[in-house]
Amino acid sequence: MKRLLAATAMALLPLTALSDTAIRATGDLGLVIERASGSLVLVDRSDRAALARIEGLGDLSHASMTYSPDERFAYVFARDGGLSKVDLLAGEVVARTVQAGNSIGGAISDDGRLVAVSNYTPGGVRVFDADTLELVADVPMAGKTIGLADLPGRRFAWAVWDTGEVFIGDFSGAEPAITSLGVAGANPFDAVVTEDASTYLVGLFGEKGVVAIDLWADPPVTTKFLKDYGKVEDDMPVYKMPHLQGWAFSEGQFVLPAVGRHELLWVDRATLQETGRTPVHGQPVFIIAQPASPYVWVNYATPLNGVVQVVDSRTHDVVKTLEPGRAMLHMEFAPRGAEVWMSSRDDNKVLIYDTRTFEKLAEIDATAPSGIFFTARAHQPGL
Amino acid sequence: MRKAALCLCLLLGAAPVRAEMPAPRAAELEHMVIQDCGSCHGLTMKGGLGSPLTRDVLDGAPPEALASIILDGVPGTAMPPWRPLLTEAEALWIAQYLLTMEPAR
């Protein structure tokens, strides 16, 4: 099966390296994760085209990546502990280390010098030199680490699924300084930093509530809010953990995916009070703000994952329901919001839609695509 | 590979009640195991937020017990009950599939 996928893949795309092309920029490039075949498709956003396939990245079943400040290199975090550095200009893997047995994601430091990886086995955070991928620091933890995010000043924040403890690691000095911010709650499933780096939001799976940690306060101050938020009843099975990196911050609000329920929850940013709920098609997975607009786009957990909805953050109403394809796993916007790229895992396509007309503009073949990552992420804190 | 898995199952007598599954549904179930279960357990079943589910790890667990976990979940963990989406025969088929799945390279 795997071999068949790979063979199909090779037939679909030219595998020529890009190094023989003329001088080019990377600002409109991106990478699409092909989760079943351990490969990436290099795409050109302006041409709406695939340029190359890059293989040999390991188990990408829960994969993410982050970009170097010059937008030339991607650091790809694979499920199997693989950390790969991909050169977008050459279209190839230029450095790779299998740094743990099981990983969940990673982040790059604000200065672009360090890449940190969040590991399940062994639990902890490992930090690498962004140039060479040599190990710089190893921070073992008492469990699976989640929600790893970069903070200004060569720092990272993360939480531990098993113990609920939240940490900040400062890697600006000769030795790492690790500070515990205490226990946020039972089984934090993901966490995210607001775009102004003021607040670290931690979603809990094992108890109700969301935790906001004020990082601008010294020492940081922890507040629990939405105290009836989350999964408690066993009759609300959660078929896919929501992702919080997509938590949209719109119109002075947070919008959160309800855990297990078919709802979005709106929260006033200043007061942390709930301001509304939106009934939606399924259990939300990603809620992503369309840049330069009042809209957020939402996709859903299996088995209701063939639908993507658009919600107006002013009225909290669903304004558009799309059925772009089967198993819609991810959405990535052009940085100024004009189009959205969406992966249809089971149709083996990336679908490109105009965000104003909702017309499909183009599609790109990809094998079981999941995450789509444009290089513009290089300049966004928290990504 | 699916056929091979079922045959092996029969040879070993691992399943007292064999889950009969029409081929198209079996293909859907295999896809579901790899892609949807794989979200937590890894596409190669080597684990993630969820436990590893490789043949070696499961080593001889009764398929009925695994089917019961699939159907009713594990309270206090992130493993949800799949009963709303699967029949008992389908859960048993998945259990047998996991017990006989070839290790990933």
Side-chain angles (χ1 to χ4, degrees):
Chain A
M1 169 100 174
K2 256 189 188 160
R3 220 171 290 150
L4 179 67
L5 284 176
T8 313
M10 288 210 256
L12 288 173
L13 279 178
L15 287 173
T16 48
L18 304 176
S19 47
D20 56 348
T21 58
I23 291 172
R24 73 156 299 154
T26 56
D28 61 356
L29 298 185
L31 289 167
V32 177
I33 287 170
E34 295 183 304
R35 72 200 298 264
S37 43
S39 49
L40 306 170
V41 178
L42 176 64
V43 294
D44 183 312
R45 191 160 48 74
S46 306
D47 293 346
R48 299 184 189 125
L51 300 179
R53 173 170 279 112
I54 301 161
E55 299 183 301
L57 289 112
D59 178 352
L60 298 184
S61 59
H62 190 292
S64 66
M65 69 178 77
T66 189
Y67 284 103
S68 65
D70 61 7
E71 300 187 7
R72 175 170 179 178
F73 299 103
Y75 300 91
V76 181
F77 310 102
R79 167 74 86 185
D80 58 10
L83 167 61
S84 305
K85 181 177 179 179
V86 173
D87 183 340
L88 272 64
L89 291 178
E92 62 186 24
V93 176
V94 293
R96 180 168 160 80
T97 174
V98 177
Q99 52 84 42
N102 203 307
S103 320
I104 194 64
I108 191 163
S109 61
D110 59 345
D111 62 358
R113 304 286 181 188
L114 301 173
V115 173
V117 190
S118 174
N119 290 324
Y120 278 180
T121 317
V125 172
R126 286 189 171 145
V127 180
F128 298 85
D129 182 289
D131 273 341
T132 63
L133 300 191
E134 275 172 41
L135 185 69
V136 172
D138 183 10
V139 186
M141 287 278 130
K144 297 167 179 172
T145 52
I146 60 98
L148 181 68
D150 60 287
L151 298 175
R154 271 198 176 194
R155 295 177 305 153
F156 297 98
W158 64 87
V160 181
W161 162 266
D162 311 67
T163 64
E165 204 170 358
V166 176
F167 293 89
I168 289 181
D170 184 335
F171 299 90
S172 61
E175 290 295 321
I178 312 298
T179 307
S180 170
L181 302 186
V183 172
N187 293 143
F189 64 88
D190 200 3
V192 65
V193 178
T194 55
E195 74 284 6
D196 60 4
S198 69
T199 311
Y200 189 53
L201 289 164
V202 184
L204 302 174
F205 186 79
E207 66 179 80
K208 293 205 171 193
V210 182
V211 170
I213 302 177
D214 181 350
L215 300 172
W216 286 0
D218 187 19
V221 173
T222 296
T223 310
K224 194 167 171 185
F225 63 103
L226 274 190
K227 288 178 184 161
D228 64 346
Y229 168 88
K231 177 198 181 296
V232 167
E233 296 86 354
D234 283 334
D235 59 353
M236 299 189 311
V238 179
Y239 290 118
K240 185 167 170 59
M241 283 288 173
H243 284 60
L244 301 191
Q245 199 169 71
W247 271 12
F249 311 111
S250 193
E251 281 273 301
Q253 305 166 95
F254 303 130
V255 51
L256 316 179
V259 181
R261 288 201 303 262
H262 296 190
E263 282 179 343
L264 310 186
L265 306 181
W266 301 85
V267 175
D268 183 285
R269 240 182 122 145
T271 64
L272 298 180
Q273 296 298 305
E274 182 179 325
T275 55
R277 296 186 180 203
T278 303
V280 289
H281 173 75
Q283 297 177 358
V285 175
F286 281 104
I287 306 173
I288 302 181
Q290 175 186 329
S293 87
Y295 304 112
V296 299
W297 292 53
V298 189
N299 71 339
Y300 301 101
T302 187
L304 299 173
N305 55 9
V307 162
V308 169
Q309 290 183 305
V310 184
V311 183
D312 189 324
S313 63
R314 298 164 297 183
T315 60
H316 302 167
D317 291 336
V318 174
V319 295
K320 190 74 185 176
T321 296
L322 299 168
E323 294 182 52
R326 294 182 297 154
M328 304 304 298
L329 292 197
H330 193 233
M331 303 154 288
E332 177 87 335
F333 289 93
R336 294 176 194 246
E339 58 190 48
V340 60
W341 291 41
M342 301 186 279
S343 47
S344 169
R345 183 192 70 198
D346 290 354
D347 286 339
N348 296 306
K349 284 183 191 310
V350 172
L351 306 166
I352 305 167
Y353 276 67
D354 184 300
T355 53
R356 291 174 74 89
T357 63
F358 303 109
E359 298 289 321
K360 184 162 75 180
L361 300 170
E363 53 183 51
I364 293 174
D365 290 330
T367 307
S370 56
I372 304 168
F373 300 84
F374 292 145
T375 52
R377 287 170 170 251
H379 313 298
Q380 290 177 264
L383 299 182
Chain B
M1 184 164 98
R2 178 183 53 78
K3 270 187 193 143
L6 277 179
C7 292
L8 187 59
C9 209
L10 286 172
L11 283 175
L12 297 175
V17 184
R18 184 164 64 96
E20 293 281 358
M21 204 52 61
R25 182 57 180 159
E28 284 173 12
L29 291 176
E30 182 177 23
H31 183 75
M32 180 182 177
V33 169
I34 295 171
Q35 298 291 349
D36 294 315
C37 305
S39 292
C40 273
H41 296 282
L43 292 188
T44 57
M45 298 299 138
K46 288 180 181 168
L49 189 61
S51 315
L53 297 178
T54 52
R55 191 173 61 185
D56 287 352
V57 170
L58 297 177
D59 192 25
E64 292 79 7
L66 296 178
S68 158
I69 291 173
I70 293 166
L71 287 168
D72 298 319
V74 181
T77 74
M79 176 66 182
W82 293 84
R83 197 179 282 280
L85 307 181
L86 293 172
T87 66
E88 295 193 357
E90 288 168 345
L92 190 59
W93 186 92
I94 290 174
Q96 291 165 341
Y97 174 84
L98 291 171
L99 285 165
T100 51
M101 195 168 66
E102 289 169 39
R105 277 156 292 140

